[in-house]
Amino acid sequence: MDTTIATGTEENVWGGGNRPLGASYGKLMMWFFLLSDALTFSGFLVSYGFARFKFIDSWPIADEVFTHIPFFHGEYPMYYVAFMTFILIMSSVTMVLAVDAGHKMKQNKVIWYMFFTIVGGLIFLGSQAWEWSTFIKGESGGAIETKGGRILHFVDSNTGERIALGDFAKHSPSERIRLQRNEGTWFQSEGYLPSVSVKEVVDGFNATPNVVVRTETTDETGKGKVVLSRDESIKTMKGAKYVVEGANLVHNEYGHRMFADFFFFITGFHGFHVFTGVLINMIIFFNVVLGTYERRGHYEMVEKVGLYWHFVDLVWVFVFTFFYLV
Amino acid sequence: MAHGQNLAIFRGRLKFKSNVQKIWGVLVLLTIVTVVEVFLGISRPAIFEEHHFLGMKLLNWIFITLTLVKGYYITWDFMHMRDEKSSLRRAAIWTPVFLASYLIFILLFEADYVHNVLFQGGYVKWNF
């Protein structure tokens, strides 16, 4: 058996200079960052799954929650989110085209494709802001929360259609106004005052015999919620405690409050990624315009931010499925 | 990408002439998959709603499968995983896939157990 001594000129394990993964340092680090980020998002999505499986009988139906399109009235489930998904995929495509143009050292093409990518990202961010504001304001007509924390919706027992609180609540004159900070004894203030009070809703409910309660419990078909009879509704309404309009981290008019919590955290965390992605894309865009990578001789930086941008798209594909479809 | 580009998808059944053409081809594929998802999400055919597999509606399994298909093409073609060395591919893909599968497995089983204890056993009261 021969023993050989490395001379250092040929490639070997200890001599350095070899690249076992065939990628540059920066690209590898981007991949490993994305790997850790993927685990963070898995943590978020799986905990959402945990909450959902735990409350599987009373989870809100996403089709009923996200039904609006900007500038249009009426119910159009899913279309707007599908549009957002398509915008993000499209901006991913312009990003790959930018990377491809970078490999061919075509500066002008890279500039235009990066520009379209940034525009796509901004459209997505705007759409998400609109989605959030619709969700926070609430568009489904309000709900009653009971002492036990259950959410009650109201339907017309003749037609089976949802009724908004304002449609049957008995408007009684009240001097109750939102407490401002400068009027409170201890400088207290109120976040918001619902458009109707609990008393008005209960009075209106008792006076209108065709209004019945729709509970959070999913019915046997799995497509709808259990609607109570008038007698049971009256019994349930005795526990009425709050009027809930819209959603925040504590109350949620659409159903289980954890749905709103996860919605804010997951889409918020993803939106934050999109936001930073747009910022990084802008930095790289200006570098391309200034000719930094032309002088450097390669456009690898475009490829690296491209990886981040595609990852944001990848995560959205999963968020879309688990929040809006499943 | 230093090692040249692989221009075929579907295990070599569909070959593209250039990288740009492949990008548009993948976009068409992703769009078709998204349209199918949205169509199924709105129509919710009864046949997929009624049948269950491993405790979940068939429809949900279809959505998850289609999502994984989309994820595969985004990673392989947009993020150029197809052109990377297999060692990088395994390090960056199989690690999170393995860890996430494990997490999904333990947490969803636990959630199902908690649901059974709390709600089948009647230990939760909502009116007080």
Side-chain angles (χ1 to χ4, degrees):
Chain A
M1 235 195 256
D2 294 78
T3 46
T4 52
I5 297 161
T7 55
T9 48
E10 71 227 42
E11 187 171 294
N12 63 74
V13 178
W14 306 108
N18 51 353
R19 307 203 311 186
L21 297 179
S24 70
Y25 174 78
K27 224 168 110 176
L28 272 185
M29 287 305 114
M30 181 51 91
W31 267 113
F32 289 127
F33 163 68
L34 295 182
L35 192 153
S36 68
D37 221 16
L39 292 176
T40 311
F41 273 108
S42 328
F44 264 135
L45 283 171
V46 177
S47 55
Y48 169 79
F50 183 92
R52 192 172 166 159
F53 270 60
K54 183 174 166 188
F55 299 107
I56 197 129
D57 299 333
S58 56
W59 204 249
I61 299 168
D63 272 6
E64 285 184 1
V65 181
F66 308 102
T67 55
H68 291 79
I69 298 182
F71 315 118
F72 284 92
H73 290 285
E75 309 262 296
Y76 304 99
M78 300 254 310
Y79 291 111
Y80 195 57
V81 210
F83 163 77
M84 282 164 71
T85 311
F86 187 71
I87 284 289
L88 212 53
I89 290 179
M90 233 10 249
S91 86
S92 237
V93 167
T94 52
M95 189 80 232
V96 216
L97 290 171
V99 173
D100 184 72
H103 280 292
K104 293 169 189 152
M105 301 298 287
K106 289 178 182 159
Q107 189 185 5
N108 267 330
K109 274 193 160 180
V110 180
I111 291 173
W112 277 108
Y113 285 134
M114 285 297 289
F115 176 74
F116 290 129
T117 309
I118 292 166
V119 170
L122 289 176
I123 294 176
F124 183 85
L125 277 179
S127 306
Q128 210 170 30
W130 183 86
E131 185 103 333
W132 269 50
S133 99
T134 315
F135 187 70
I136 290 169
K137 268 190 261 159
E139 302 272 343
S140 78
I144 283 285
E145 191 174 319
T146 65
K147 272 182 248 173
R150 299 285 78 188
I151 289 293
L152 309 177
H153 295 136
F154 297 93
V155 296
D156 189 326
S157 60
N158 301 324
T159 59
E161 297 280 312
R162 281 283 298 276
I163 310 179
L165 292 183
D167 292 348
F168 67 88
K170 207 172 206 169
H171 291 283
S172 47
S174 155
E175 63 279 7
R176 180 83 172 78
I177 48 164
R178 194 175 137 201
L179 185 62
Q180 302 292 328
R181 195 170 150 78
N182 58 353
E183 294 160 342
T185 317
W186 291 101
F187 301 101
Q188 292 163 315
S189 62
E190 265 178 334
Y192 84 116
L193 195 63
S195 59
V196 286
S197 69
V198 178
K199 190 177 175 301
E200 285 173 331
V201 174
V202 173
D203 288 349
F205 172 78
N206 290 332
T208 330
N210 64 325
V211 177
V212 288
V213 165
R214 199 183 77 152
T215 61
E216 281 182 76
T217 315
T218 309
D219 61 16
E220 280 111 40
T221 62
K223 280 185 182 176
K225 299 291 186 183
V226 172
V227 177
L228 300 179
S229 69
R230 177 71 187 169
D231 290 344
E232 285 171 318
S233 300
I234 292 169
K235 216 187 280 173
T236 314
M237 275 299 279
K238 290 208 171 92
K241 176 96 169 154
Y242 301 106
V243 169
V244 185
E245 285 172 329
N248 52 46
L249 291 175
V250 186
H251 302 288
N252 173 14
E253 75 160 46
Y254 299 99
H256 205 288
R257 61 188 72 177
M258 281 184 104
F259 181 84
D261 297 347
F262 277 110
F263 176 79
F264 288 128
F265 273 98
I266 296 178
T267 64
F269 197 58
H270 176 264
F272 180 65
H273 274 74
V274 180
F275 175 70
T276 49
V278 168
L279 284 189
I280 298 166
N281 277 346
M282 280 179 180
I283 294 169
I284 300 300
F285 172 76
F286 286 119
N287 276 343
V288 177
V289 172
L290 293 173
T292 310
Y293 307 122
E294 202 64 31
R295 284 194 295 279
R296 193 177 287 178
H298 61 82
Y299 279 83
E300 207 190 62
M301 275 315 275
V302 178
E303 199 178 333
K304 278 179 245 174
V305 293
L307 285 180
Y308 182 68
W309 191 248
H310 299 312
F311 176 75
V312 167
D313 181 28
L314 180 69
V315 169
W316 180 255
V317 165
F318 281 86
V319 173
F320 174 63
T321 301
F322 293 112
F323 252 95
Y324 298 93
L325 289 174
V326 169
Chain B
M1 293 248 294
H3 313 284
Q5 290 155 351
N6 190 347
L7 295 179
I9 62 171
F10 298 145
R11 297 196 160 270
R13 286 196 193 94
L14 186 55
K15 282 201 178 71
F16 292 102
K17 287 193 191 76
S18 70
N19 195 33
V20 175
Q21 217 180 39
K22 186 180 82 166
I23 294 165
W24 290 111
V26 172
L27 171 69
V28 170
L29 180 77
L30 292 178
T31 309
I32 292 172
V33 173
T34 308
V35 167
V36 169
E37 277 182 338
V38 171
F39 172 75
L40 286 176
I42 291 170
S43 66
R44 298 200 172 262
I47 181 162
F48 299 133
E49 285 265 3
E50 284 155 9
H51 293 81
H52 287 67
F53 177 68
L54 288 180
M56 207 158 56
K57 282 177 197 163
L58 213 52
L59 189 65
N60 290 354
W61 282 111
I62 294 173
F63 286 142
I64 290 167
T65 315
L66 291 178
T67 305
L68 291 175
V69 168
K70 269 159 85 176
Y72 172 85
Y73 283 102
I74 289 172
T75 324
W76 255 244
D77 290 309
F78 288 177
M79 297 169 101
H80 308 299
M81 246 328 173
R82 208 185 282 282
D83 305 321
E84 302 291 358
K85 275 193 171 183
S86 61
S87 47
L88 172 58
R89 204 151 59 209
R90 284 169 197 152
I93 303 293
W94 293 118
T95 317
V97 165
F98 167 74
L99 290 173
S101 319
Y102 179 53
L103 196 65
I104 291 166
F105 173 73
I106 49 174
L107 277 191
L108 293 192
F109 259 84
E110 180 68 12
D112 193 44
Y113 171 75
V114 171
H115 171 261
N116 287 337
V117 168
L118 287 182
F119 297 99
Q120 313 293 18
Y123 294 110
V124 173
K125 195 166 159 53
W126 291 111
N127 295 310
F128 43 81

